[in-house]
Amino acid sequence: MIRFGRQDRQDREDRALQKSLKGVTSVKGVKNVSLGANPLLTSRTPVWRSRLLVGGLALGFAIMAGRAAYVQIFGNDFFLRQGEVRFARTLEMPANRGRILDRNGLILASSVPAESIWAFPEEVDQEEDAAKLQKMAKLLGMPLKDIQKRLDIDNKNFVYIKRQVDESIAKQIAELHIKGIYQRKEYRRQYPEGEAVAHIVGFTDVEDKGQEGMERTFNAQLAGKPGSRRVIKDRLGRVIEGVGEQVPPMDGQDIHLTIDSKVQYFAWQKLRDAVQAYKAKGGSVVVLDVQTGEVLALANYPSYDPNNRKNLSGEQLRNRALTDIYEPGSTMKPVTVALALQQGKVNPGTLIATGNGRMQIGTANIGDTHAYGTLTVDGVVQKSSNVGTVKISQRLTGEDMWENFSNIGLGQKPDLPFPGMAAGRLRPYKSWREVEKATMSYGYGLSASLFQLARAYSVFARDGVMMPVTLVRDGVVDSTGKFKPLEKSEGKRVYSPKVAKQVLHMLHIVTLPGGTAQQAQTVGYSVGGKTGTARKQEGRGYSAQKYRASFVGVSPIESPRIVVGVMIDEPRGSIYGGVVAAPVFSEVVQQTLRILGVQPDMSVQPGVITDAPQESL
């Protein structure tokens, strides 16, 4: 029935076509040709053609539906990842690095907003924007060829032009509207106190990671945790929309140091003047508060500006007070005498025969700068007699001396949160020869940093107790403002209070007429200390021309508040600690005690300075 119906419909269509063409006898000049006789017009369309067409369309729709199902359902995770790779970005939200403050809250290091200039090299048209690029190079203080070199890097879709640019400069660059040049907000570290505190605070790199000093030691606490947010970007790097939750940054903790920036600057200034005046290689000053164990100053010269670190050398970066060790020379004599007093081998009035200032141990000759004859133990320290000190040490055992040196911190790294500190050198007593035991009694054959020596002298200022020291005040404050105290340990008793007082008296008379350090006297305050002038080692021997001049002392004598150590490396003209280092000590003590509010304990004018004997080398 269907077949006959189709045939009838075809016949009707043919008759209608013939009727419509009736009378038409030619096409394009061809006469007497009947269109109705054309086999193409009279032939029937095969059924398979329509079926093929319909089947092809159906197959196409089926493929599209399958592809859509694969993309939307089965392969959804893969295509989401690919989309994220191409357009989704996680933007880091930098945390504000914590500040470093002095004991009074003065800022020593802080972070300020800065912009980093970066580019998509493939988007920058260097020919079209040549004039704008030249202006940008001038604003950044960079040669144009350096910028062009960065933009010419192959296969790079991101490159920094310059990091941590001032906001005012960044704004001018943005106004140039250079296609392909973008900006990113960062933080830049600033150090208001500059060279004076550089060796303590240190500095960070362009990634804001601590590289030296306290910036390095407390990097984890200062850095905080950066935040993040997920965004969709177009091909030009513009943010289209944010996706997901935003993680806010957690700012770093503030670190409060025990350093007093006023004391630090004054100590650094006076040290600088002395180093320049004596054309020395360098020097250091250490100031300790003996009541609290806090470090008030760690000054070094030469220094550097942490805000501008071009052409830095390793020598400039060293915190000499903590990292440089040397043979302390005569500054060790009070330590030897204190042990002998503690063991009852001598008392301050015991007579020591130094003869003509010469003695021999084995093949070694030990001598004084003057022939003092017979001296009391007080006089041995006041005149800085090598011979007298050796004769006192002969009443002691090597084991006792080694233990005494260890008890005051020699041969051990100071317990401070600071990188690169030196432990010094103190060999086991069993390896000492007789001559080495003798030379160690007056500071040769062992080595220590200036900080170790200053801390050792604090035992005399603390009634014989070796105090713990700290560079961080009390504790740290976290990002929530919560204070976390630091653990503190009790000091260790090394000498009796009586012995500590006796040694303090000896240190005091060193600065009085007849002593080797009369220039250490300070206006308004009593002082005491010991000079040291030590030859520098060269190879297996000692230099005849290179010395280290030092002075370590305490003030005020009756109620000690501070210990100050001064070391000048390779002074020229004068080499003695009583001449080179003692005046720096005097000025630093006077200024520090005034800043701390300590009342003067003596007449305003210091004693008359007479011809002072020089300490023995």
Side-chain angles (χ1 to χ4, degrees):
M1 291 293 293
I2 295 174
R3 183 172 176 271
F4 287 117
R6 290 178 178 173
Q7 185 64 46
D8 291 342
R9 187 166 60 252
Q10 185 66 44
D11 291 342
R12 286 196 300 272
E13 290 175 353
D14 290 345
R15 284 195 297 271
L17 178 63
Q18 291 177 0
K19 184 177 180 179
S20 64
L21 295 175
K22 188 176 181 179
V24 179
T25 59
S26 66
V27 177
K28 292 185 179 181
V30 180
K31 297 179 180 181
N32 300 322
V33 177
S34 176
L35 293 177
N38 191 319
L40 294 175
L41 296 176
T42 59
S43 64
R44 297 174 181 175
T45 303
V47 177
W48 64 268
R49 280 189 180 181
S50 59
R51 291 178 177 176
L52 180 63
L53 179 61
V54 173
L57 291 173
L59 179 62
F61 280 114
I63 292 174
M64 292 176 63
R67 179 65 177 173
Y70 173 73
V71 171
Q72 297 294 330
I73 301 174
F74 303 106
N76 183 256
D77 292 342
F78 170 78
F79 287 103
L80 283 177
R81 287 195 300 269
Q82 292 301 310
E84 288 183 356
V85 169
R86 289 167 172 77
F87 301 106
R89 296 288 185 271
T90 298
L91 298 183
E92 183 179 282
M93 302 171 65
N96 192 2
R97 191 174 177 87
R99 300 171 301 171
I100 299 179
L101 310 170
D102 82 340
R103 64 188 297 108
N104 300 310
L106 185 71
I107 295 176
L108 304 180
S110 64
S111 295
V112 296
E115 299 289 339
S116 285
I117 311 300
W118 60 278
F120 280 135
E122 61 182 12
E123 296 180 7
V124 181
D125 190 331
Q126 296 191 45
E127 294 183 1
E128 182 178 341
D129 292 328
K132 293 181 179 180
L133 290 173
Q134 179 67 54
K135 291 180 180 178
M136 183 177 74
K138 186 176 180 180
L139 288 170
L140 294 176
M142 297 174 61
L144 178 60
K145 62 180 181 180
D146 287 354
I147 295 178
Q148 293 172 335
K149 185 178 180 180
R150 298 187 182 210
L151 295 175
D152 288 340
I153 298 176
D154 295 333
N155 301 320
K156 290 286 185 181
N157 57 10
F158 175 92
V159 63
Y160 276 116
I161 303 299
K162 190 170 183 178
R163 306 285 298 272
Q164 299 181 349
V165 176
D166 287 341
E167 285 188 310
S168 59
I169 300 296
K171 184 178 180 180
Q172 295 180 62
I173 293 174
E175 292 173 352
L176 294 175
H177 300 293
I178 305 174
K179 184 179 179 182
I181 301 296
Y182 304 95
Q183 298 184 14
R184 176 187 178 187
K185 183 179 179 180
E186 293 183 329
Y187 288 99
R188 183 180 62 193
R189 211 64 168 158
Q190 281 192 342
Y191 304 94
E193 296 300 305
E195 294 182 54
V197 299
H199 290 107
I200 302 172
V201 176
F203 57 85
T204 61
D205 60 12
V206 293
E207 300 295 339
D208 220 18
K209 294 181 180 179
Q211 300 297 299
E212 293 288 340
M214 306 308 288
E215 292 276 30
R216 177 177 175 179
T217 300
F218 290 101
N219 184 66
Q221 293 91 333
L222 289 165
K225 294 183 179 180
S228 64
R229 65 186 181 113
R230 195 76 173 160
V231 299
I232 301 297
K233 285 189 173 184
D234 64 10
R235 63 178 298 273
L236 298 179
R238 296 173 298 191
V239 175
I240 304 301
E241 64 175 329
V243 295
E245 293 185 2
Q246 178 174 306
V247 179
M250 183 180 294
D251 290 341
Q253 305 172 19
D254 288 346
I255 302 296
H256 291 256
L257 302 183
T258 62
I259 297 296
D260 188 308
S261 58
K262 293 180 181 178
V263 175
Q264 176 73 21
Y265 180 78
F266 190 84
W268 177 80
Q269 186 182 52
K270 294 305 176 183
L271 174 67
R272 178 198 62 190
D273 294 345
V275 170
Q276 293 177 352
Y278 289 98
K279 299 180 181 178
K281 187 176 180 181
S284 302
V285 173
V286 175
V287 183
L288 303 179
D289 186 331
V290 298
Q291 290 185 359
T292 63
E294 295 175 333
V295 181
L296 299 179
L298 279 175
N300 297 277
Y301 189 85
S303 187
Y304 64 94
D305 184 356
N307 297 300
N308 183 12
R309 302 187 297 274
K310 292 182 179 179
N311 304 318
L312 274 183
S313 65
E315 187 168 341
Q316 287 176 291
L317 292 175
R318 291 202 322 269
N319 190 325
R320 296 168 180 264
L322 293 170
T323 63
D324 286 17
I325 58 175
Y326 63 99
E327 292 182 308
S330 296
T331 54
M332 290 302 298
K333 291 173 181 175
V335 175
T336 300
V337 170
L339 177 59
L341 291 169
Q342 182 68 27
Q343 292 189 348
K345 306 295 184 180
V346 297
N347 60 60
T350 300
L351 297 178
I352 306 295
T354 65
N356 62 354
R358 291 288 181 270
M359 69 179 297
Q360 188 168 357
I361 298 179
T363 59
N365 292 311
I366 296 173
D368 292 334
T369 55
H370 304 280
Y372 296 116
T374 299
L375 295 171
T376 62
V377 171
D378 281 350
V380 168
V381 176
Q382 184 187 35
K383 304 297 184 183
S384 193
S385 169
N386 288 346
V387 173
T389 306
V390 171
K391 288 195 172 184
I392 292 173
S393 73
Q394 289 176 336
R395 306 184 186 193
L396 306 170
T397 67
E399 182 177 0
D400 288 342
M401 289 179 62
W402 180 88
E403 186 177 356
N404 184 40
F405 293 150
S406 299
N407 286 338
I408 61 172
L410 302 187
Q412 307 160 38
K413 283 188 178 181
D415 187 17
L416 284 180
F418 200 91
M421 289 186 298
R425 183 170 61 93
L426 178 63
R427 294 187 295 110
Y429 66 90
K430 290 183 179 180
S431 65
W432 295 1
R433 295 177 296 164
E434 184 181 1
V435 67
E436 290 174 326
K437 176 174 172 286
T439 59
M440 285 187 187
S441 70
Y442 60 89
Y444 283 92
L446 52 83
S447 61
S449 67
L450 180 64
F451 184 86
Q452 287 176 302
L453 289 176
R455 188 187 175 212
Y457 269 59
S458 70
V459 75
F460 306 127
R462 295 268 297 186
D463 289 332
V465 175
M466 189 65 179
M467 67 174 183
V469 291
T470 178
L471 196 51
V472 178
R473 193 174 192 189
D474 299 328
V476 294
V477 179
D478 62 23
S479 59
T480 64
K482 185 177 180 181
F483 180 78
K484 182 180 179 182
L486 295 178
E487 295 182 2
K488 292 186 178 181
S489 60
E490 296 295 330
K492 177 182 179 181
R493 178 161 295 283
V494 180
Y495 310 118
S496 67
K498 178 181 178 181
V499 168
K501 290 294 183 182
Q502 289 172 337
V503 175
L504 272 181
H505 173 72
M506 296 176 190
L507 296 178
H508 180 49
I509 63 176
V510 169
T511 66
L512 299 180
T516 60
Q518 296 176 47
Q519 294 189 53
Q521 295 179 57
T522 300
V523 175
Y525 299 98
S526 60
V527 298
K530 186 68 189 74
T531 55
T533 306
R535 297 181 187 271
K536 294 186 69 172
Q537 281 188 312
E538 280 193 343
R540 295 184 178 181
Y542 291 91
S543 171
Q545 297 179 335
K546 297 179 181 179
Y547 299 84
R548 285 188 175 94
S550 59
F551 186 88
V552 184
V554 180
S555 184
I557 288 298
E558 292 302 322
S559 182
R561 179 63 189 273
I562 59 173
V563 170
V564 176
V566 181
M567 188 275 291
I568 308 295
D569 188 11
E570 295 187 22
R572 299 180 183 179
S574 181
I575 62 172
Y576 292 102
V579 176
V580 178
V584 179
F585 167 88
S586 173
E587 293 178 300
V588 172
V589 164
Q590 181 176 326
Q591 186 69 17
T592 301
L593 292 178
R594 287 179 177 176
I595 291 173
L596 295 177
V598 178
Q599 293 297 318
D601 67 333
M602 59 177 291
S603 60
V604 176
Q605 294 298 327
V608 178
I609 298 177
T610 61
D611 292 335
Q614 304 299 343
E615 66 267 22
S616 302
L617 303 180

